[in-house]
Amino acid sequence: MQKRLNPEQVLFLAVFVVIVLAAYEFLLPDFTYKSIIFIALGGVSAYIGGTLSTKLIKNQ
């Protein structure tokens, strides 16, 4: 099922992903596989942010 996001949902999704990735990058110390986990976390946070944006901000 395809859902189209309105501008408010896209803004929420982008801010959510940026906050999650910034927190990960700045709060954790460097370790061997940090960049690989960063990429995976980006995908997971985009999925969770998209799900949250469609549930919290209803289409009008």
Side-chain angles (χ1 to χ4, degrees):
M1 179 170 70
Q2 295 239 338
K3 293 183 180 179
R4 294 192 52 98
L5 299 176
N6 61 30
E8 293 85 14
Q9 291 170 328
V10 172
L11 180 63
F12 177 84
L13 170 63
V15 170
F16 181 81
V17 170
V18 167
I19 288 173
V20 168
L21 292 180
Y24 172 78
E25 187 65 30
F26 292 114
L27 294 179
L28 291 179
D30 288 338
F31 54 91
T32 306
Y33 299 110
K34 187 173 183 179
S35 60
I36 296 172
I37 296 173
F38 182 84
I39 294 169
L41 184 64
V44 170
S45 65
Y47 175 76
I48 292 172
T51 303
L52 284 174
S53 69
T54 55
K55 298 225 186 283
L56 295 176
I57 306 169
K58 303 295 182 191
N59 288 334
Q60 294 163 357

Short mmCIF file of all heavy atoms in Angstrom, two decimals:
data_model
loop_
_atom_site.label_atom_id
_atom_site.label_comp_id
_atom_site.label_asym_id
_atom_site.label_seq_id
_atom_site.Cartn_x
_atom_site.Cartn_y
_atom_site.Cartn_z
N MET A 1 0.85 -1.17 0.00
CA MET A 1 0.00 0.00 0.00
C MET A 1 0.90 1.24 0.00
O MET A 1 1.77 1.40 0.84
CB MET A 1 -0.88 -0.02 1.25
CG MET A 1 -1.79 1.18 1.35
SD MET A 1 -3.02 1.03 2.66
CE MET A 1 -2.03 1.16 4.12
N GLN A 2 0.67 2.11 -0.95
CA GLN A 2 1.46 3.33 -1.07
C GLN A 2 0.72 4.48 -0.43
O GLN A 2 -0.46 4.67 -0.66
CB GLN A 2 1.71 3.63 -2.54
CG GLN A 2 2.56 2.58 -3.20
CD GLN A 2 3.82 3.17 -3.76
OE1 GLN A 2 3.87 4.35 -4.00
NE2 GLN A 2 4.82 2.36 -3.95
N LYS A 3 1.44 5.25 0.36
CA LYS A 3 0.87 6.44 0.99
C LYS A 3 1.63 7.65 0.49
O LYS A 3 2.84 7.63 0.37
CB LYS A 3 0.97 6.36 2.51
CG LYS A 3 0.14 5.28 3.12
CD LYS A 3 0.25 5.32 4.63
CE LYS A 3 -0.60 4.23 5.24
NZ LYS A 3 -0.52 4.21 6.67
N ARG A 4 0.91 8.71 0.20
CA ARG A 4 1.54 9.97 -0.18
C ARG A 4 1.62 10.85 1.06
O ARG A 4 0.63 10.98 1.79
CB ARG A 4 0.75 10.64 -1.28
CG ARG A 4 0.78 9.83 -2.56
CD ARG A 4 0.26 10.59 -3.72
NE ARG A 4 0.87 11.90 -3.89
CZ ARG A 4 1.87 12.17 -4.72
NH1 ARG A 4 2.37 11.19 -5.44
NH2 ARG A 4 2.35 13.38 -4.84
N LEU A 5 2.77 11.43 1.28
CA LEU A 5 2.97 12.27 2.44
C LEU A 5 2.72 13.73 2.07
O LEU A 5 3.13 14.19 1.02
CB LEU A 5 4.40 12.12 2.97
CG LEU A 5 4.81 10.73 3.42
CD1 LEU A 5 6.27 10.73 3.81
CD2 LEU A 5 3.97 10.25 4.56
N ASN A 6 2.03 14.43 2.96
CA ASN A 6 1.86 15.87 2.74
C ASN A 6 3.09 16.60 3.27
O ASN A 6 3.95 16.01 3.92
CB ASN A 6 0.54 16.36 3.37
CG ASN A 6 0.47 16.16 4.85
OD1 ASN A 6 1.49 16.19 5.52
ND2 ASN A 6 -0.73 15.99 5.38
N PRO A 7 3.23 17.89 3.00
CA PRO A 7 4.46 18.61 3.40
C PRO A 7 4.76 18.58 4.89
O PRO A 7 5.93 18.50 5.28
CB PRO A 7 4.19 20.05 2.92
CG PRO A 7 3.23 19.89 1.80
CD PRO A 7 2.38 18.73 2.14
N GLU A 8 3.74 18.62 5.72
CA GLU A 8 3.98 18.58 7.17
C GLU A 8 4.57 17.23 7.58
O GLU A 8 5.44 17.16 8.45
CB GLU A 8 2.69 18.83 7.95
CG GLU A 8 2.14 20.24 7.81
CD GLU A 8 1.26 20.41 6.58
OE1 GLU A 8 0.85 19.40 5.97
OE2 GLU A 8 0.99 21.57 6.21
N GLN A 9 4.09 16.16 6.97
CA GLN A 9 4.60 14.84 7.30
C GLN A 9 6.05 14.68 6.84
O GLN A 9 6.86 14.08 7.53
CB GLN A 9 3.72 13.76 6.67
CG GLN A 9 2.35 13.67 7.29
CD GLN A 9 1.42 12.77 6.51
OE1 GLN A 9 1.51 12.66 5.29
NE2 GLN A 9 0.50 12.12 7.20
N VAL A 10 6.36 15.22 5.68
CA VAL A 10 7.73 15.15 5.17
C VAL A 10 8.68 15.94 6.07
O VAL A 10 9.79 15.50 6.37
CB VAL A 10 7.80 15.65 3.71
CG1 VAL A 10 9.24 15.76 3.24
CG2 VAL A 10 7.01 14.73 2.80
N LEU A 11 8.25 17.11 6.52
CA LEU A 11 9.06 17.92 7.42
C LEU A 11 9.30 17.18 8.74
O LEU A 11 10.42 17.14 9.25
CB LEU A 11 8.39 19.26 7.68
CG LEU A 11 9.13 20.21 8.61
CD1 LEU A 11 10.47 20.61 8.01
CD2 LEU A 11 8.30 21.44 8.90
N PHE A 12 8.26 16.56 9.30
CA PHE A 12 8.41 15.79 10.53
C PHE A 12 9.38 14.64 10.31
O PHE A 12 10.26 14.40 11.15
CB PHE A 12 7.05 15.25 10.98
CG PHE A 12 7.13 14.38 12.19
CD1 PHE A 12 7.14 14.93 13.45
CD2 PHE A 12 7.19 12.99 12.08
CE1 PHE A 12 7.22 14.13 14.59
CE2 PHE A 12 7.28 12.19 13.20
CZ PHE A 12 7.29 12.76 14.46
N LEU A 13 9.26 13.94 9.20
CA LEU A 13 10.14 12.81 8.90
C LEU A 13 11.59 13.27 8.80
O LEU A 13 12.48 12.65 9.39
CB LEU A 13 9.70 12.14 7.59
CG LEU A 13 10.63 11.09 7.00
CD1 LEU A 13 10.78 9.92 7.94
CD2 LEU A 13 10.09 10.62 5.66
N ALA A 14 11.83 14.36 8.09
CA ALA A 14 13.20 14.85 7.93
C ALA A 14 13.81 15.29 9.25
O ALA A 14 14.96 14.95 9.56
CB ALA A 14 13.20 16.01 6.94
N VAL A 15 13.05 16.01 10.05
CA VAL A 15 13.55 16.46 11.36
C VAL A 15 13.81 15.27 12.28
O VAL A 15 14.82 15.23 12.99
CB VAL A 15 12.56 17.47 11.99
CG1 VAL A 15 12.91 17.76 13.44
CG2 VAL A 15 12.53 18.75 11.18
N PHE A 16 12.93 14.29 12.26
CA PHE A 16 13.10 13.10 13.09
C PHE A 16 14.39 12.37 12.73
O PHE A 16 15.18 12.00 13.60
CB PHE A 16 11.89 12.17 12.93
CG PHE A 16 11.95 10.94 13.78
CD1 PHE A 16 11.60 10.98 15.11
CD2 PHE A 16 12.35 9.72 13.24
CE1 PHE A 16 11.66 9.84 15.91
CE2 PHE A 16 12.42 8.58 14.01
CZ PHE A 16 12.07 8.64 15.35
N VAL A 17 14.61 12.16 11.43
CA VAL A 17 15.82 11.45 10.99
C VAL A 17 17.07 12.24 11.35
O VAL A 17 18.06 11.67 11.84
CB VAL A 17 15.75 11.15 9.48
CG1 VAL A 17 17.07 10.64 8.96
CG2 VAL A 17 14.65 10.16 9.18
N VAL A 18 17.06 13.54 11.16
CA VAL A 18 18.23 14.36 11.47
C VAL A 18 18.52 14.33 12.97
O VAL A 18 19.68 14.21 13.37
CB VAL A 18 18.02 15.81 10.97
CG1 VAL A 18 19.05 16.75 11.56
CG2 VAL A 18 18.06 15.85 9.46
N ILE A 19 17.50 14.40 13.79
CA ILE A 19 17.72 14.38 15.25
C ILE A 19 18.28 13.04 15.69
O ILE A 19 19.23 12.98 16.49
CB ILE A 19 16.42 14.72 16.00
CG1 ILE A 19 16.10 16.20 15.82
CG2 ILE A 19 16.52 14.38 17.47
CD1 ILE A 19 14.76 16.61 16.37
N VAL A 20 17.73 11.95 15.18
CA VAL A 20 18.21 10.61 15.57
C VAL A 20 19.66 10.42 15.14
O VAL A 20 20.49 9.96 15.92
CB VAL A 20 17.30 9.51 14.97
CG1 VAL A 20 17.93 8.14 15.10
CG2 VAL A 20 15.94 9.52 15.63
N LEU A 21 19.97 10.78 13.89
CA LEU A 21 21.34 10.58 13.41
C LEU A 21 22.33 11.53 14.08
O LEU A 21 23.47 11.13 14.35
CB LEU A 21 21.38 10.74 11.89
CG LEU A 21 20.64 9.65 11.12
CD1 LEU A 21 20.74 9.92 9.63
CD2 LEU A 21 21.16 8.27 11.45
N ALA A 22 21.92 12.75 14.38
CA ALA A 22 22.80 13.67 15.08
C ALA A 22 23.08 13.18 16.49
O ALA A 22 24.22 13.26 16.97
CB ALA A 22 22.20 15.07 15.10
N ALA A 23 22.06 12.70 17.17
CA ALA A 23 22.26 12.18 18.52
C ALA A 23 23.20 10.98 18.49
O ALA A 23 24.10 10.87 19.33
CB ALA A 23 20.91 11.78 19.13
N TYR A 24 23.03 10.10 17.52
CA TYR A 24 23.91 8.94 17.40
C TYR A 24 25.35 9.38 17.15
O TYR A 24 26.28 8.87 17.77
CB TYR A 24 23.42 8.05 16.26
CG TYR A 24 24.37 6.92 15.93
CD1 TYR A 24 24.43 5.79 16.72
CD2 TYR A 24 25.22 7.00 14.83
CE1 TYR A 24 25.31 4.76 16.42
CE2 TYR A 24 26.10 5.99 14.53
CZ TYR A 24 26.14 4.87 15.32
OH TYR A 24 27.02 3.86 15.03
N GLU A 25 25.52 10.32 16.24
CA GLU A 25 26.87 10.74 15.85
C GLU A 25 27.61 11.45 16.98
O GLU A 25 28.80 11.24 17.18
CB GLU A 25 26.79 11.66 14.63
CG GLU A 25 28.11 12.02 14.04
CD GLU A 25 28.88 10.85 13.46
OE1 GLU A 25 28.24 9.88 12.98
OE2 GLU A 25 30.11 10.90 13.50
N PHE A 26 26.90 12.31 17.72
CA PHE A 26 27.58 13.12 18.72
C PHE A 26 27.62 12.51 20.11
O PHE A 26 28.48 12.86 20.91
CB PHE A 26 26.95 14.51 18.78
CG PHE A 26 27.21 15.30 17.53
CD1 PHE A 26 26.17 15.66 16.70
CD2 PHE A 26 28.49 15.68 17.18
CE1 PHE A 26 26.40 16.38 15.54
CE2 PHE A 26 28.74 16.40 16.03
CZ PHE A 26 27.69 16.76 15.20
N LEU A 27 26.71 11.61 20.43
CA LEU A 27 26.67 11.08 21.79
C LEU A 27 27.51 9.82 21.98
O LEU A 27 27.97 9.55 23.08
CB LEU A 27 25.23 10.80 22.20
CG LEU A 27 24.34 12.05 22.34
CD1 LEU A 27 22.93 11.64 22.72
CD2 LEU A 27 24.91 13.01 23.35
N LEU A 28 27.70 9.05 20.92
CA LEU A 28 28.48 7.82 21.06
C LEU A 28 29.93 8.05 20.67
O LEU A 28 30.21 8.77 19.71
CB LEU A 28 27.89 6.71 20.18
CG LEU A 28 26.54 6.17 20.61
CD1 LEU A 28 26.06 5.11 19.64
CD2 LEU A 28 26.63 5.57 22.00
N PRO A 29 30.85 7.44 21.39
CA PRO A 29 32.26 7.57 21.01
C PRO A 29 32.55 6.77 19.73
O PRO A 29 31.76 5.91 19.34
CB PRO A 29 33.00 6.98 22.21
CG PRO A 29 32.03 6.04 22.83
CD PRO A 29 30.67 6.64 22.59
N ASP A 30 33.66 7.05 19.10
CA ASP A 30 34.03 6.33 17.88
C ASP A 30 34.35 4.87 18.20
O ASP A 30 34.99 4.57 19.21
CB ASP A 30 35.25 6.98 17.22
CG ASP A 30 34.91 8.30 16.59
OD1 ASP A 30 33.72 8.52 16.29
OD2 ASP A 30 35.82 9.12 16.40
N PHE A 31 33.90 3.98 17.33
CA PHE A 31 34.26 2.58 17.43
C PHE A 31 34.36 2.02 16.01
O PHE A 31 34.10 2.72 15.03
CB PHE A 31 33.27 1.78 18.31
CG PHE A 31 31.82 1.92 17.91
CD1 PHE A 31 31.24 1.03 17.02
CD2 PHE A 31 31.05 2.93 18.43
CE1 PHE A 31 29.91 1.16 16.67
CE2 PHE A 31 29.72 3.07 18.08
CZ PHE A 31 29.15 2.18 17.20
N THR A 32 34.71 0.77 15.87
CA THR A 32 35.09 0.21 14.58
C THR A 32 33.99 0.29 13.53
O THR A 32 34.23 0.72 12.42
CB THR A 32 35.51 -1.26 14.77
OG1 THR A 32 36.53 -1.32 15.76
CG2 THR A 32 36.05 -1.84 13.47
N TYR A 33 32.78 -0.12 13.85
CA TYR A 33 31.72 -0.21 12.85
C TYR A 33 30.69 0.91 12.96
O TYR A 33 29.52 0.72 12.62
CB TYR A 33 31.03 -1.57 12.97
CG TYR A 33 31.98 -2.73 12.71
CD1 TYR A 33 32.38 -3.56 13.74
CD2 TYR A 33 32.48 -2.95 11.45
CE1 TYR A 33 33.25 -4.61 13.51
CE2 TYR A 33 33.35 -3.99 11.21
CZ TYR A 33 33.73 -4.82 12.24
OH TYR A 33 34.60 -5.84 12.01
N LYS A 34 31.11 2.05 13.43
CA LYS A 34 30.18 3.15 13.65
C LYS A 34 29.53 3.63 12.35
O LYS A 34 28.34 3.92 12.32
CB LYS A 34 30.87 4.32 14.34
CG LYS A 34 29.92 5.42 14.75
CD LYS A 34 30.61 6.47 15.59
CE LYS A 34 29.60 7.52 16.02
NZ LYS A 34 30.22 8.54 16.85
N SER A 35 30.26 3.69 11.26
CA SER A 35 29.71 4.17 9.99
C SER A 35 28.70 3.19 9.41
O SER A 35 27.70 3.59 8.81
CB SER A 35 30.82 4.45 8.99
OG SER A 35 31.55 3.27 8.72
N ILE A 36 28.93 1.91 9.58
CA ILE A 36 27.98 0.90 9.08
C ILE A 36 26.68 0.97 9.86
O ILE A 36 25.59 0.93 9.29
CB ILE A 36 28.60 -0.51 9.16
CG1 ILE A 36 29.81 -0.58 8.22
CG2 ILE A 36 27.58 -1.58 8.82
CD1 ILE A 36 30.62 -1.83 8.36
N ILE A 37 26.77 1.10 11.16
CA ILE A 37 25.58 1.22 12.00
C ILE A 37 24.86 2.53 11.72
O ILE A 37 23.63 2.61 11.75
CB ILE A 37 25.95 1.06 13.48
CG1 ILE A 37 26.48 -0.36 13.73
CG2 ILE A 37 24.77 1.34 14.38
CD1 ILE A 37 27.02 -0.60 15.10
N PHE A 38 25.61 3.59 11.38
CA PHE A 38 25.02 4.89 11.03
C PHE A 38 24.11 4.74 9.81
O PHE A 38 22.99 5.27 9.78
CB PHE A 38 26.14 5.89 10.75
CG PHE A 38 25.66 7.27 10.42
CD1 PHE A 38 25.35 8.15 11.43
CD2 PHE A 38 25.53 7.68 9.11
CE1 PHE A 38 24.91 9.45 11.14
CE2 PHE A 38 25.10 8.96 8.81
CZ PHE A 38 24.79 9.84 9.82
N ILE A 39 24.55 4.01 8.80
CA ILE A 39 23.74 3.81 7.59
C ILE A 39 22.50 2.99 7.92
O ILE A 39 21.39 3.33 7.48
CB ILE A 39 24.59 3.12 6.51
CG1 ILE A 39 25.70 4.06 6.06
CG2 ILE A 39 23.73 2.70 5.33
CD1 ILE A 39 26.75 3.41 5.19
N ALA A 40 22.65 1.93 8.68
CA ALA A 40 21.49 1.12 9.06
C ALA A 40 20.52 1.91 9.93
O ALA A 40 19.30 1.81 9.75
CB ALA A 40 21.97 -0.14 9.81
N LEU A 41 21.04 2.70 10.84
CA LEU A 41 20.20 3.52 11.70
C LEU A 41 19.44 4.56 10.89
O LEU A 41 18.29 4.88 11.21
CB LEU A 41 21.04 4.18 12.79
CG LEU A 41 20.28 4.99 13.83
CD1 LEU A 41 19.36 4.08 14.63
CD2 LEU A 41 21.25 5.70 14.75
N GLY A 42 20.05 5.08 9.84
CA GLY A 42 19.36 6.02 8.95
C GLY A 42 18.14 5.39 8.32
O GLY A 42 17.07 6.01 8.25
N GLY A 43 18.25 4.17 7.85
CA GLY A 43 17.10 3.47 7.26
C GLY A 43 16.03 3.17 8.28
O GLY A 43 14.84 3.36 8.02
N VAL A 44 16.43 2.71 9.44
CA VAL A 44 15.45 2.38 10.49
C VAL A 44 14.75 3.64 10.98
O VAL A 44 13.53 3.64 11.17
CB VAL A 44 16.16 1.64 11.66
CG1 VAL A 44 15.24 1.51 12.86
CG2 VAL A 44 16.64 0.28 11.20
N SER A 45 15.50 4.72 11.16
CA SER A 45 14.86 5.96 11.64
C SER A 45 13.94 6.55 10.57
O SER A 45 12.92 7.14 10.91
CB SER A 45 15.91 6.97 12.08
OG SER A 45 16.68 7.40 10.98
N ALA A 46 14.28 6.38 9.29
CA ALA A 46 13.38 6.85 8.22
C ALA A 46 12.09 6.05 8.23
O ALA A 46 10.99 6.60 8.06
CB ALA A 46 14.07 6.74 6.87
N TYR A 47 12.18 4.74 8.44
CA TYR A 47 10.97 3.90 8.51
C TYR A 47 10.11 4.29 9.71
O TYR A 47 8.90 4.48 9.59
CB TYR A 47 11.37 2.42 8.59
CG TYR A 47 10.18 1.52 8.78
CD1 TYR A 47 9.34 1.24 7.73
CD2 TYR A 47 9.91 0.96 10.02
CE1 TYR A 47 8.24 0.41 7.90
CE2 TYR A 47 8.83 0.13 10.21
CZ TYR A 47 8.00 -0.14 9.14
OH TYR A 47 6.91 -0.96 9.33
N ILE A 48 10.74 4.42 10.87
CA ILE A 48 9.98 4.78 12.08
C ILE A 48 9.42 6.19 11.96
O ILE A 48 8.27 6.44 12.34
CB ILE A 48 10.87 4.63 13.33
CG1 ILE A 48 11.20 3.15 13.56
CG2 ILE A 48 10.19 5.21 14.57
CD1 ILE A 48 12.22 2.91 14.64
N GLY A 49 10.20 7.12 11.44
CA GLY A 49 9.72 8.48 11.25
C GLY A 49 8.56 8.55 10.28
O GLY A 49 7.60 9.31 10.48
N GLY A 50 8.62 7.78 9.20
CA GLY A 50 7.50 7.74 8.25
C GLY A 50 6.25 7.16 8.87
O GLY A 50 5.14 7.67 8.64
N THR A 51 6.40 6.12 9.65
CA THR A 51 5.26 5.52 10.33
C THR A 51 4.66 6.50 11.33
O THR A 51 3.44 6.67 11.40
CB THR A 51 5.69 4.23 11.05
OG1 THR A 51 6.27 3.34 10.09
CG2 THR A 51 4.50 3.55 11.70
N LEU A 52 5.51 7.14 12.12
CA LEU A 52 5.02 8.12 13.09
C LEU A 52 4.34 9.31 12.42
O LEU A 52 3.31 9.79 12.89
CB LEU A 52 6.17 8.63 13.96
CG LEU A 52 6.66 7.70 15.06
CD1 LEU A 52 7.89 8.29 15.73
CD2 LEU A 52 5.57 7.44 16.07
N SER A 53 4.91 9.78 11.32
CA SER A 53 4.34 10.95 10.66
C SER A 53 2.96 10.65 10.08
O SER A 53 2.09 11.51 10.10
CB SER A 53 5.28 11.48 9.58
OG SER A 53 5.34 10.58 8.49
N THR A 54 2.75 9.43 9.57
CA THR A 54 1.43 9.11 9.03
C THR A 54 0.42 8.88 10.15
O THR A 54 -0.77 9.12 9.95
CB THR A 54 1.48 7.87 8.11
OG1 THR A 54 2.05 6.78 8.82
CG2 THR A 54 2.28 8.16 6.87
N LYS A 55 0.88 8.44 11.31
CA LYS A 55 -0.05 8.21 12.42
C LYS A 55 -0.36 9.50 13.18
O LYS A 55 -1.48 9.70 13.61
CB LYS A 55 0.53 7.17 13.37
CG LYS A 55 0.74 5.83 12.74
CD LYS A 55 0.24 4.74 13.62
CE LYS A 55 0.56 3.37 13.05
NZ LYS A 55 -0.25 2.93 11.98
N LEU A 56 0.65 10.35 13.38
CA LEU A 56 0.46 11.56 14.18
C LEU A 56 -0.18 12.70 13.38
O LEU A 56 -0.99 13.45 13.92
CB LEU A 56 1.78 12.03 14.76
CG LEU A 56 2.45 11.09 15.77
CD1 LEU A 56 3.80 11.65 16.19
CD2 LEU A 56 1.57 10.87 16.97
N ILE A 57 0.23 12.83 12.13
CA ILE A 57 -0.28 13.92 11.29
C ILE A 57 -1.17 13.31 10.23
O ILE A 57 -0.70 12.70 9.28
CB ILE A 57 0.89 14.71 10.65
CG1 ILE A 57 1.86 15.19 11.71
CG2 ILE A 57 0.35 15.86 9.82
CD1 ILE A 57 3.16 15.75 11.15
N LYS A 58 -2.45 13.44 10.39
CA LYS A 58 -3.41 12.83 9.48
C LYS A 58 -3.49 13.60 8.18
O LYS A 58 -3.33 14.81 8.14
CB LYS A 58 -4.82 12.76 10.12
CG LYS A 58 -4.86 12.02 11.43
CD LYS A 58 -4.52 10.58 11.22
CE LYS A 58 -4.61 9.83 12.54
NZ LYS A 58 -4.09 8.52 12.49
N ASN A 59 -3.77 12.89 7.08
CA ASN A 59 -3.96 13.54 5.79
C ASN A 59 -5.23 14.40 5.83
O ASN A 59 -6.22 14.04 6.43
CB ASN A 59 -4.09 12.50 4.67
CG ASN A 59 -2.78 11.84 4.38
OD1 ASN A 59 -1.73 12.40 4.60
ND2 ASN A 59 -2.84 10.62 3.88
N GLN A 60 -5.17 15.53 5.12
CA GLN A 60 -6.32 16.42 5.15
C GLN A 60 -6.87 16.61 3.77
O GLN A 60 -6.27 16.61 2.79
CB GLN A 60 -5.92 17.77 5.74
CG GLN A 60 -5.56 17.57 7.19
CD GLN A 60 -4.77 18.74 7.75
OE1 GLN A 60 -4.42 19.68 7.06
NE2 GLN A 60 -4.47 18.65 9.02
#
